[in-house]
Amino acid sequence: MAEQASGLALRFISGKYQGGEFPLLANKELVVGRSGDLDMVLMEDMVSRKHAKISTTGGQVSIQDLGSTNGTFVNGEKIKKHRLKEGDRILIGTSIIKVISQSESSVDASTFDIAQVKSILQDVAQQQQSATMQGTIREVPLPDLLQLFGTSKKSGVLQINGPLGVGKVFLRNGKLYYAVIDDNHDLGPMKSVCRMLTWTDGDFEMLPPSDEEFLLELEDSTEAIIMEGLRQLDEMSRLKTDMPGADQMLTMAQPLNAPLSELTKEQLDILQLVYNHGQVQEVLNRAPGTDYETSTHLVYLLQHDYVRAA
């Protein structure tokens, strides 16, 4: 007879075992590691022989690192022992595991037995075409991914394939040092990061480290870059009602009655870009500053009748 369910389940949302899921049973332990005699066997180099233990006792679910070489992470933080709740994301090796409610799981807890865990993961691994770290940013938003990779000091190129382009984030020991969208290096790494942080859909894959060299690398910490990007996104949302769409054409006001002498150098540069290129997206792409800085200047030029929407 199946054991009583804890109310929570695990779903692999990235890595070799992506798609595997199973309920957590009350008063049971799952030992995770590379050894074939364990409950949850993850066959990859970054996983220790006995890596971690997930326990459900007294209505609580917790995870404990068992002295693993590469560590166990919950929500981007390296842990020794941590109480789990719905929505938490566990990183073990290249696998990101999300804690979900029983109602979200496709596995019937009433007929589930703990011995099924191993066979479920084996079946999923055989169906996967690649053993690389991959998933969707709908399941794991980019800020969470970067935080996970930063804390676990991963190196490689995070590639995101989405409806708005192909983004690449370059990581060195967890440090985000460069980013580009559609190989358009003129955008600059910070502008590219900020744009990718707005993406809510797309597939990601962690590729091997690149030996490509860049003239400009980001110097701030990964956490500082994420925080600045999210701050800019928040400020951009406040400009949304005053900012024309990306495909909108802009023209110089005719006649131009507003005095040019009152504009800053940066505002004059944006005005020239409007004159030369017209389309909002082209102005954003060619401006040296971030999208937020450029949008701020554009809104000012529109509100003070230097520029008009065509």
Side-chain angles (χ1 to χ4, degrees):
M1 187 175 74
E3 300 284 345
Q4 181 183 0
S6 68
L8 296 175
L10 299 180
R11 174 185 291 160
F12 282 75
I13 57 177
S14 171
K16 181 179 180 179
Y17 304 95
Q18 183 182 351
E21 63 177 53
F22 42 82
L24 292 171
L25 303 179
N27 303 315
K28 287 289 185 179
E29 289 185 347
L30 272 173
V31 181
V32 185
R34 204 171 64 245
S35 177
D37 60 350
L38 301 181
D39 306 305
M40 186 189 293
V41 181
L42 305 181
M43 295 300 295
E44 55 175 288
D45 293 340
M46 293 186 67
V47 176
S48 296
R49 183 175 176 276
K50 285 190 176 181
H51 197 106
K53 179 174 65 176
I54 299 173
S55 306
T56 56
T57 55
Q60 297 183 1
V61 180
S62 63
I63 184 168
Q64 178 182 352
D65 185 79
L66 299 177
S68 65
T69 301
N70 293 298
T72 302
F73 301 83
V74 177
N75 301 328
E77 297 293 329
K78 191 173 186 178
I79 60 96
K80 290 185 177 179
K81 189 172 183 178
H82 186 89
R83 180 178 174 183
L84 295 173
K85 63 183 184 302
E86 183 180 349
D88 283 345
R89 293 181 177 90
I90 305 163
L91 175 65
I92 296 177
T94 64
S95 294
I96 300 176
I97 309 164
K98 185 178 182 181
V99 181
I100 62 174
S101 69
Q102 277 291 313
S103 59
E104 291 183 72
S105 176
S106 61
V107 180
D108 185 357
S110 65
T111 60
F112 185 80
D113 186 89
I114 202 76
Q116 293 177 249
V117 174
K118 189 181 298 185
S119 61
I120 288 174
L121 295 181
Q122 287 176 341
D123 291 344
V124 171
Q126 289 174 359
Q127 295 170 13
Q128 291 288 358
Q129 298 298 312
S130 172
T132 59
M133 192 171 195
Q134 56 188 326
T136 70
I137 58 174
R138 184 177 297 174
E139 281 276 19
V140 196
L142 184 55
D144 293 358
L145 264 181
L146 294 177
Q147 186 179 18
L148 283 169
F149 294 157
T151 309
S152 56
K153 300 189 182 302
K154 291 191 181 298
S155 296
V157 181
L158 176 64
Q159 180 168 301
I160 304 168
N161 301 299
L164 299 177
V166 177
K168 295 178 182 177
V169 177
F170 294 77
L171 297 162
R172 184 188 296 125
N173 295 322
K175 170 72 173 67
L176 193 169
Y177 67 93
Y178 195 77
V180 65
I181 297 174
D182 291 333
D183 292 325
N184 182 3
H185 296 275
D186 291 336
L187 288 177
M190 190 62 195
K191 185 185 292 188
S192 297
V193 170
C194 290
R195 286 190 184 181
M196 281 187 267
L197 287 172
T198 69
W199 295 0
T200 57
D201 200 7
D203 299 321
F204 73 82
E205 182 177 7
M206 191 63 158
L207 304 175
S210 170
D211 57 4
E212 191 173 358
E213 296 182 356
F214 307 103
L215 292 175
L216 175 66
E217 291 192 2
L218 296 169
E219 296 182 355
D220 291 335
S221 68
T222 299
E223 184 178 18
I225 292 170
I226 296 171
M227 292 299 292
E228 174 59 19
L230 294 177
R231 183 194 70 80
Q232 290 188 24
L233 291 181
D234 185 55
E235 295 292 342
M236 282 281 286
S237 66
R238 301 181 188 183
L239 296 174
K240 191 172 183 179
T241 55
D242 299 316
M243 183 68 182
D247 295 332
Q248 181 78 52
M249 296 299 296
L250 302 175
T251 61
M252 299 275 287
Q254 297 288 341
L256 183 58
N257 295 318
L260 293 174
S261 59
E262 292 186 1
L263 295 180
T264 64
K265 177 184 180 302
E266 290 78 13
Q267 291 167 341
L268 285 169
D269 289 342
I270 300 303
L271 187 65
Q272 184 173 2
L273 287 173
V274 170
Y275 179 77
N276 289 339
H277 304 285
Q279 189 188 49
V280 171
Q281 189 63 63
E282 279 296 307
V283 174
L284 291 170
N285 287 347
R286 294 173 182 272
T290 65
D291 286 346
Y292 167 62
E293 293 166 341
T294 304
S295 297
T296 300
H297 296 320
L298 279 175
V299 168
Y300 181 90
L301 294 173
L302 284 161
Q303 291 178 339
H304 291 79
D305 202 33
Y306 291 92
V307 169
R308 294 171 185 171

